[in-house]
Amino acid sequence: MHKTLDVITIGEAMAMFVATETGELSAVKHFIKRVAGAELNVATGLARLGLNVGWVSRVGDDSFGHFVLDSLKKEGIDAAGVTLDARFPTGFQLKSKVENGTDPIVEYFRKGSAASHLSVDDYNAPHFSSARHLHLSGVAAALSASSYELLDHAAAAMKAQGKTISFDPNLRPVLWKSEAEMVEKLNRLAFQADWVLPGVKEGMILTGESSPEGIADFYLNKGVKAVVLKTGADGAWFKTASGEQGAVAAVKVENVVDTVGAGDGFAVGVISALLEGKPLLQAIARGNTIGSLAIQVQGDSEGLPTRAELNE
């Protein structure tokens, strides 16, 4: 029997070594080990808010893979859809320390990882059907052709069952053969979603449109119910299929420590609130709040709040 889930997501997790001192990665001597991965960040944030979340992936049967599994257990994330794969390694990354609000340098060591071997074989129908919502991102889509097929299959199956789907493009151009392939494949996933959550620059690349409304209409015309655009320091702008639209101001932050994970925090806020039946405006405001918390600490998911912390 599969336990009932609020959300299920698919992605890659890596061990992440975060520098404890600023400067070039080549010169750094000390690092802190954490877990990283866009979809895992979202799963973590949702689990901390009290939602039942399942994360589907493959990890190597190695120390990094067991580290990831321990992290899932600690966060209360359902790992029934995770395969321990003895054939391939768990990926890892190095991340620089920044203190001035600029983006950190990240070096990835993920080629041929266990997660890149995700495929439609990893689609366990009862497990996915036990969830009421599917969250997908463009990172898992970019890992490999077989991983993309899994996401496409999951989206089609969940949509056919009347489940809601959210999609964060999370562009990783270096993982794709070409920009044209990236645009075509990610839009195919986006068109199956109810809620699409791109950054403005991502939206411009994916749609060829230059305005927030143009980007939103591109997806709304394909049957998407709501498009929420992250507009950086301005906050977010949205438009729905019923024509409702507007801007939601950002939460001002005195000290930006680490920008990585802000978009994942935003997704956590929007998805959790919408699944609770909150209006879209409230959902976006929560997204802005959690995104602002995420950028005030070092680490990808360390700033994601518990329900009690969010209420404060």
Side-chain angles (χ1 to χ4, degrees), residues 151-216:
L151 269 64
D152 193 38
H153 179 79
M158 295 289 272
K159 192 174 179 70
Q161 293 171 41
K163 314 284 182 142
T164 51
I165 301 171
S166 52
F167 180 66
D168 182 345
N170 234 322
L171 300 190
R172 297 290 191 276
V174 295
L175 295 179
W176 293 95
K177 289 193 189 85
S178 68
E179 184 175 292
E181 182 194 38
M182 176 178 77
V183 168
E184 189 268 320
K185 289 202 157 175
L186 292 188
N187 279 335
R188 183 169 153 180
L189 290 176
F191 296 159
Q192 299 185 72
D194 298 277
W195 316 323
V196 178
L197 313 169
V200 166
K201 285 179 184 166
E202 292 178 324
M204 289 176 176
I205 292 167
L206 290 170
T207 67
E209 298 288 341
S210 57
S211 69
E213 190 157 11
I215 295 165

Side-chain angles (χ1 to χ4, degrees), residues 14-301:
M14 286 168 281
M16 174 172 68
F17 294 90
V18 188
T20 58
E21 61 215 79
T22 55
E24 294 291 327
L25 279 172
S26 59
V28 172
K29 290 191 172 66
H30 300 103
F31 296 82
I32 300 169
K33 185 170 71 164
R34 298 208 165 114
V35 289
E39 303 85 1
L40 183 55
N41 292 340
V42 174
T44 299
L46 292 171
R48 285 185 192 165
L49 294 179
L51 282 80
N52 288 323
V53 188
W55 180 76
V56 175
S57 191
R58 286 179 170 264
V59 295
D61 189 4
D62 48 36
S63 59
F64 292 161
H66 289 280
F67 176 57
V68 170
L69 291 173
D70 289 345
S71 301
L72 295 173
K73 200 169 182 179
K74 191 180 116 209
E75 296 291 351
I77 296 168
D78 186 292
V82 182
T83 298
L84 201 59
D85 192 331
R87 301 167 302 160
F88 307 106
T90 310
F92 71 96
Q93 57 175 266
L94 303 177
K95 182 175 167 183
S96 68
K97 180 179 182 180
V98 289
E99 292 175 331
N100 57 359
T102 58
D103 291 341
I105 303 291
V106 183
E107 286 187 9
Y108 295 96
F109 300 84
R110 76 197 311 177
K111 195 171 174 64
S113 69
S116 71
H117 291 85
L118 280 163
S119 73
V120 175
D121 291 343
D122 293 286
Y123 184 83
N124 179 307
H127 186 47
F128 276 83
S129 296
S130 73
R132 61 190 176 111
H133 181 80
L134 173 68
H135 176 68
L136 299 177
S137 112
V139 182
L143 293 177
S144 63
S146 66
S147 178
Y148 178 84
E149 285 168 12
L150 170 61
L151 269 64
D152 193 38
H153 179 79
M158 295 289 272
K159 192 174 179 70
Q161 293 171 41
K163 314 284 182 142
T164 51
I165 301 171
S166 52
F167 180 66
D168 182 345
N170 234 322
L171 300 190
R172 297 290 191 276
V174 295
L175 295 179
W176 293 95
K177 289 193 189 85
S178 68
E179 184 175 292
E181 182 194 38
M182 176 178 77
V183 168
E184 189 268 320
K185 289 202 157 175
L186 292 188
N187 279 335
R188 183 169 153 180
L189 290 176
F191 296 159
Q192 299 185 72
D194 298 277
W195 316 323
V196 178
L197 313 169
V200 166
K201 285 179 184 166
E202 292 178 324
M204 289 176 176
I205 292 167
L206 290 170
T207 67
E209 298 288 341
S210 57
S211 69
E213 190 157 11
I215 295 165
D217 287 342
F218 177 88
Y219 291 112
L220 295 171
N221 290 335
K222 294 290 186 178
V224 172
K225 293 189 172 69
V227 179
V228 183
L229 285 157
K230 291 163 279 194
T231 52
D234 292 332
W237 187 92
F238 72 95
K239 187 173 181 182
T240 68
S242 61
E244 185 191 358
Q245 65 183 73
V248 182
V251 177
K252 296 301 174 200
V253 170
E254 291 295 317
N255 183 31
V256 177
V257 175
D258 185 348
T259 55
V260 176
D264 301 329
F266 181 79
V268 167
V270 173
I271 294 164
S272 63
L274 290 177
L275 290 178
E276 288 165 24
K278 299 269 194 294
L280 186 57
L281 270 171
Q282 278 184 38
I284 297 169
R286 183 186 289 181
N288 285 345
T289 299
I290 296 180
S292 75
L293 293 172
I295 61 176
Q296 293 182 67
V297 297
Q298 185 88 23
D300 292 12
S301 62

